[in-house]
Every structure is written in C-alpha cells, then in structure tokens.
Amino acid sequence: MEKNTNIIDKSSDIGKKISRRDILKTAGVGGVGVILGASGLGGLLSITESKATTKEAHEIVPFYGKQQSGITTKTQNHVYFVSLDVTTSKKEDLVQLFKDWTKASALLSEGKAVGDLSSNEFLPPKDTGEAAGLSASNLTVTFGVGPSLFVKDSQDRFGLKHKQPSELVDLPKFPLDALEDEWTGGDLCIQACADDLQVAFHAVRNLIRIARGKAILRWAQTGFQRTKQADSKNETPRNLFGFKDGSINPDVNDEKEMNKQVWVQPGDGPDWLVNGSYLVVRRIQMFIEVWDRSTLKEQENTFGRYRDSGAPFGKKNEFDPLDLKHKNDKGEYSLPVNSHTRLSHGDGSQQILRRAYSYSDGMDLKTGSFDAGLLFLCFQRSPSKQFIPIQNRLAKMDKLNEYTSHKGSAIFACLPGTKPGGFIGETLFN
Ligand code: HEM
C-alpha cells in the first residue's frame, strides 16, 4: 500500500491535491482508488474521496474552542494519559513547548501528521508515522498543569507562584490511600482520548517527542471502554466488576450545568483559568480475583445497584432516581449506608463529571494477580467542594474499599481553550 501511494503522489495531479490519508483510505478498498487516480478518472476518484472525507469529518472533534476538548465532549473508547516532569528551567522554553504542542495537537485532531511524513531521507521523519492512513478517530488532546509547575521544593520555578490557584494544591491524604510514587503527581499532563488506541498513542508519542529537552515522562497509563463496534446501542460501559459505570453524571449538553459543575468561572480564582477545569486522576487497582469469589448479593450490596440492569436498589431502570429513604422490615435502609452509590451521592449537592476508563496492565508482580482497575478521571470546578468531600466519605466507609486500592493520584488545572493563532496556556504564561 505504501508503494501505491507513492505512485499517486508522483504521477497524478489529482493525487497531489488530496491528502495522503485520503489516498490511503481510498486505496484501502483493494487499491481501487489507486488505479482510478492513475488512469485519470478524476470524477470517480473524487466521489470515492468525498465519501471518505465525509466519514472522516464525523470523526473529528474540533481542537480549537473556548474550552479544551476531552472534558465535556463525548467519551471515546480509549485513553492514553501521561503525567510529565518539566526539565527546563526557562519560562520561554515552556511557552515554546505549549505553542508547539498546540499546533501539533490541532493537526493531530484532524487526523493529520505533525510534519511531512518523508520530507528528507537524511533526517528522522518529523512524524513517527504509525497513524498514517488512520482516521482522526475523534482524538482529543487535553493539557493540564500541576501544582509542582508553580512551586517545587519551595522554589518559584518559573515566576508563576503568584498565579497558583488556591484549589491547585496536592490532594490531602485520604484514609486507606496506598499511593506509590511511580503513579503520583506531575508538573503537566496530557490526556489523549480516541476511538483507536494507536491514534491516541501516536498523539502522545509525538507530543512527548516535541517536548525533548523540556519535559519528560513521569508516568503513563492507558485505559479502555467497550468499543462502539462491540456495543452499537452505546449503552453505559461496564467496569471490570461487571457493573454499569457512568450512569449518573451531570448533563454535558446543559451549558448552565457545566458552568456550575465543571468550568471555572470568573471570580472563582485567578482569571487565567476561567473556562478551564480541575482534573483529579486516581489509579485505582481493583482486586478482581477477590471480587470474583464474592456472591452476587454481596456485589450488588457493594454498589447498591443491580448488576444486570444497573438500576438502584428498589428501582427497575438504570436511570431511575435513588430512593434514599426507603427502609426494609428490619428498619435498615434498602440502599445500604455503606454502599458506593449511597455514599458517593451523599445529599446530591456535590457532583463531578466522571470520565473514567478501565485499565489492564498485565500482572501485579508483587502478588501474582491481575494489575487491573479503573483510571478514575473526573472534572470539576472546585476540588475542595466536589471531589474531596466525596472521596472523604468514600474513603471512610465505602464497602467498595474491600475490593480496591488507590495506587496513583494527581491533580491538574486543565487550561482554557484557544483560537487558531493562539496557544493553550496563553492566559497563564502571558
Ligand atoms: C474502582 C473504583 C470505583 C468504581 C469501580 C466505581 C464504580 C461506580 C459505579 C458502578 C457507580 C454506579 C453507577 C453510576 O452512577 O455510574 C458509581 C457511581 C458514582 N461514583 Fe464511583 N466508582 C469508583 C470510584 C469512585 C471514586 C474515587 C469517586 C469519587 C471520589 C466516585 C464517585 C462516584 C459518583 C459521584 C457516582 C454517582 C453517584 C450518584 O448516584 O449520584 N467513584 N461508581
């Protein structure tokens, strides 16, 4: 296929007008597009081309906008999440990095390469190449800054200390936290989500490559949900305990609700973060072998929901409201007081936008069991009023704690979006 593409690039005017990806897509149908192009049947080729382009247009999430994508935009099948440490001590390097990242991410989000694929055979190619021929797959790239970008080892590293929001501080230690350094913290983060893992990986790989000499990987975690091919009805995905996970979330289509729960508003803190959001990440290991030995009743009591339907106790359907008041004959709440649903809901006043993915990282070498769990990602306007009080309740008495362990944790301020010509981070650095 690679060879055919070169033939078109060099021999056909039509081939020069369309992108390499369109050609690969067309040629993918048994090379038919290649033959048509080379024989000058441009009309037919453009029909094929426009079909491919239309299909691809549905798989593009715009990168530019008031807010960054990857927060309230539709959750994709895969995540590739990375936390980074900044290695440069110069603010101008940091600014250049965000400028370069912005340009590259805008291209990647359109399914394009970050530079010519093969411009000079005596130099390493500008793009690593593994996404050539692949669609944009709804790729979103979301950038955040951690507390340690502002102050590290008591040093005001980049003269940004006065801009650090009071909400952007390390999370408190919660009861039962078993955090490991290798999964904790970070100066910067990149959340790349796509319906194809190779596309998400390609994005992160090229962004890390661009960061050479300025920032390095601190930790990385992939995650998945069922694919759209496997679930054409697009139901709520199930987590690795077999329960529907993500049923109750604030409505991302309700702008007022998003302004209340997710987007930082004027007056909340420093102006540079208005239209940004706080991201809390927790890498939570799930002891699936232990879970698999527990009874269905025990499993359902743990969540306070029925496994099959996802409905809360006492209700029929997944999205039915919780009945927090109903008591059984013994005078106990039907929705157990230590169930995850009851505790995470609380009195309903704290909400977070959950965008979690399952992970499966082979074997836990210390125990010989699966290293699998949940990459819990949640967005909010104020961690001190949202994630922290919820997690305080859960850490104290959630029945789920018998089956899980929080191994990683980080907090980031996800920057506001930008327009073409601008760059992510401009409000913070300018
Ligand atoms: C491995 C860890 C976890 C698992 C397996 C898990 C799973 C679930 C499940 C199955 C539900 C019920 C269905 C739904 O509404 O999505 C749920 C609800 C929820 N979880 Fe978790 N969860 C985990 C960790 C957390 C953490 C760390 C938090 C936040 C501190 C959290 C916050 C919530 C909230 C806010 C709800 C919705 C409550 C409501 O009904 O209003 N979860 N979770």
Side-chain angles (χ1 to χ4, degrees):
M1 183 158 334
E2 196 60 23
K3 213 171 159 196
N4 286 343
T5 309
N6 288 338
I7 294 169
I8 277 204
D9 278 345
K10 284 170 191 159
S11 65
S12 153
D13 280 338
I14 301 158
K16 277 180 196 151
K17 278 183 209 144
I18 62 178
S19 80
R20 181 184 174 88
R21 211 153 38 80
D22 290 336
I23 297 162
L24 283 162
K25 196 123 198 159
T26 312
V29 193
V32 175
V34 174
I35 297 162
L36 291 176
S39 46
L41 298 172
L44 274 173
L45 177 61
S46 44
I47 292 165
T48 327
E49 180 203 343
S50 73
K51 267 193 191 155
T53 315
T54 316
K55 186 176 169 284
E56 286 181 7
H58 290 302
E59 293 173 359
I60 294 176
V61 181
F63 175 76
Y64 291 109
K66 186 161 88 164
Q67 291 126 356
Q68 287 198 80
S69 56
I71 300 175
T72 55
T73 47
K74 201 166 183 303
T75 307
Q76 301 92 323
N77 297 338
H78 299 276
V79 65
Y80 203 108
F81 185 89
V82 288
S83 165
L84 299 107
D85 283 335
V86 172
T87 49
T88 180
S89 53
K90 295 186 199 134
K91 187 176 164 194
E92 56 270 29
D93 279 355
L94 207 51
V95 173
Q96 192 56 50
L97 175 61
F98 273 95
K99 287 183 174 167
D100 294 344
W101 272 353
T102 301
K103 276 191 201 142
S105 304
L107 290 168
L108 290 164
S109 302
E110 288 182 11
K112 293 181 180 151
V114 296
D116 278 350
L117 282 168
S118 50
S119 50
N120 183 338
E121 65 182 294
F122 298 106
L123 289 174
K126 288 198 179 120
D127 184 285
T128 55
E130 73 272 33
L134 304 183
S135 79
S137 306
N138 291 313
L139 174 75
T140 55
V141 185
T142 316
F143 296 97
V145 293
S148 51
L149 185 75
F150 295 81
V151 177
K152 195 173 191 174
D153 302 328
S154 312
Q155 296 291 309
D156 181 4
R157 307 167 73 188
F158 301 103
L160 295 171
K161 188 179 170 189
H162 63 292
K163 291 192 169 183
Q164 181 169 4
S166 56
E167 290 272 357
L168 188 63
V169 285
D170 287 337
L171 292 168
K173 187 175 169 4
F174 297 100
L176 301 179
D177 268 2
L179 303 184
E180 294 170 354
D181 271 355
E182 68 222 65
W183 298 110
T184 302
D187 298 337
L188 305 173
C189 78
I190 307 174
Q191 176 199 257
C193 298
D195 288 329
D196 184 278
L197 186 54
Q198 185 148 325
V199 168
F201 175 73
H202 169 256
V204 168
R205 176 180 177 189
N206 281 275
L207 295 170
I208 298 294
R209 192 168 181 235
I210 289 169
R212 199 173 140 84
K214 299 180 182 115
I216 51 167
L217 276 177
R218 182 182 172 91
W219 55 273
Q221 181 64 60
T222 55
F224 59 89
Q225 294 186 349
R226 83 284 178 267
T227 62
K228 293 183 182 84
Q229 292 96 306
D231 175 20
S232 54
K233 288 194 225 142
N234 200 24
E235 293 186 343
T236 309
R238 289 181 185 270
N239 60 35
L240 298 182
F241 284 163
F243 280 67
K244 294 190 175 193
D245 197 334
S247 317
I248 305 302
N249 242 345
D251 180 3
V252 292
N253 299 311
D254 181 340
E255 200 185 327
K256 229 172 126 193
E257 187 68 1
M258 290 300 98
N259 286 339
K260 189 171 162 206
Q261 307 289 1
V262 175
W263 303 119
V264 172
Q265 300 295 305
D268 283 356
D271 281 348
W272 64 263
L273 194 55
V274 171
N275 287 316
S277 186
Y278 290 96
L279 165 63
V280 171
V281 192
R282 306 283 284 183
R283 184 182 190 270
I284 308 174
Q285 189 172 359
M286 291 162 61
F287 303 122
I288 52 179
E289 291 90 345
V290 183
W291 182 260
D292 293 346
R293 290 195 295 269
S294 66
T295 63
L296 178 60
K297 194 168 166 37
E298 158 81 6
Q299 296 186 356
E300 292 188 330
N301 281 339
T302 302
F303 286 112
R305 285 182 176 265
Y306 304 111
R307 186 171 97 147
D308 200 20
S309 63
F313 276 6
K315 298 292 171 91
K316 273 205 173 125
N317 301 310
E318 179 188 354
F319 300 106
D320 286 346
L322 308 182
D323 187 345
L324 297 166
K325 293 197 177 132
H326 187 267
K327 290 188 176 169
N328 62 20
D329 307 342
K330 294 181 206 151
E332 296 159 342
Y333 283 112
S334 308
L335 190 61
V337 286
N338 59 352
S339 66
H340 183 72
T341 294
R342 186 177 196 105
L343 285 169
S344 55
H345 181 84
D347 63 5
S349 61
Q350 293 120 5
Q351 293 181 31
I352 45 179
L353 181 64
R354 291 177 293 142
R355 219 174 178 281
Y357 287 86
S358 295
Y359 76 82
S360 160
D361 271 2
M363 207 171 103
D364 181 339
L365 294 176
K366 286 181 208 136
T367 60
S369 54
F370 281 110
D371 182 3
L374 194 73
L375 182 65
F376 182 85
L377 298 157
C378 74
F379 294 91
Q380 63 238 273
R381 183 174 161 191
S382 157
S384 70
K385 296 194 186 115
Q386 294 168 275
F387 175 82
I388 294 175
I390 300 174
Q391 180 55 21
N392 266 326
R393 286 199 300 273
L394 295 177
K396 272 185 206 138
M397 60 182 287
D398 190 357
K399 192 160 169 50
L400 190 58
N401 296 336
E402 291 173 31
Y403 302 97
T404 59
S405 181
H406 289 229
K407 294 289 174 67
S409 177
I411 181 168
F412 299 97
C414 291
L415 298 148
T418 189
K419 293 188 196 119
F423 69 99
I424 299 287
E426 60 201 355
T427 52
L428 171 61
F429 298 118
N430 284 339

